[in-house]
Amino acid sequence: MTTSSTPGLARFNTLAAEEAAAELHEVCASAAWGRAVLARRPYAGKEALFSASDAAMAELSAEDLAEAMAGHPPIGRPKPGDPASAREQRGMAGASEELRAEMLELNLAYQERFGHVFLICATGATGEQMRDAVKARTGNSPEQEREIVRTELGKINRIRLTRLVQDS
């Protein structure tokens, strides 16, 4: 069988389970997601890894989603000292003080309504796009929002998995 495995993916495939689990936790804070992705190793290629991630995300319970969301800081306030968090929220880096203040207010209103941080795949999005998204999504039902969050987490996981297995 021929595989399209890259050196980064080969490294991930051969990590000790504990090390691989720790790296997966950096991708997604859901322990259930990490266990499901870990259980399907080794991966022949990135697409197989992405498919496993998507399948694991689809199976997460509401509690598992809450655990995954807990690993994400509010938009506009990346985790201090975390380059991935800063990179993912780059669209807010140059935002005006007015936009930052508005996002803080919107984040708080969203969190009060849904009980968790506003989660969006912020990579490549401007501050204004993120603001518009939180405004639009605040009107969703909790069920609608949970499924949107599931989709956004899936996008974030794919980006982070790509970095995890990129060729060194």
Side-chain angles (χ1 to χ4, degrees):
M1 171 171 109
T2 305
T3 67
S4 60
S5 184
T6 63
L9 183 58
R11 180 197 63 80
F12 174 71
N13 281 335
T14 58
L15 282 175
E18 301 79 34
E19 290 178 85
E23 290 198 8
L24 288 172
H25 189 265
E26 292 298 315
V27 171
C28 180
S30 166
W33 176 88
R35 284 190 303 272
V37 173
L38 187 62
R40 293 185 174 110
R41 283 191 318 165
Y43 293 100
K46 287 180 189 176
E47 285 307 314
L49 177 60
F50 293 158
S51 293
S53 174
D54 294 345
M57 186 57 61
E59 296 298 319
L60 293 185
S61 68
E63 293 78 25
D64 296 328
L65 281 172
E67 182 180 31
M69 286 184 281
H72 291 269
I75 295 296
R77 294 185 296 177
K79 286 182 193 173
D82 183 351
S85 182
R87 179 176 48 247
E88 290 168 354
Q89 293 195 29
R90 189 175 298 143
M92 286 299 295
S96 68
E97 285 305 314
E98 294 82 9
L99 180 56
R100 287 178 182 278
E102 185 178 13
M103 278 303 290
L104 176 60
E105 191 175 303
L106 290 166
N107 275 324
L108 291 172
Y110 178 97
Q111 191 161 353
E112 185 168 314
R113 173 154 167 68
F114 295 108
H116 57 80
V117 298
F118 171 67
L119 195 117
I120 186 170
C121 181
T123 300
T126 65
E128 290 81 5
Q129 289 169 324
M130 290 183 261
R131 178 204 55 214
D132 295 347
V134 71
K135 282 182 174 181
R137 287 173 46 191
T138 299
N140 289 339
S141 71
E143 296 78 20
Q144 288 172 311
E145 193 56 21
R146 184 172 42 251
E147 292 313 308
I148 291 170
V149 164
R150 186 184 306 274
T151 299
E152 294 299 311
L153 278 167
K155 292 176 192 176
I156 294 165
N157 289 353
R158 279 179 171 243
I159 291 167
R160 291 178 174 186
L161 284 169
T162 297
R163 281 197 306 272
L164 176 68
V165 300
Q166 70 189 3
D167 298 345
S168 306

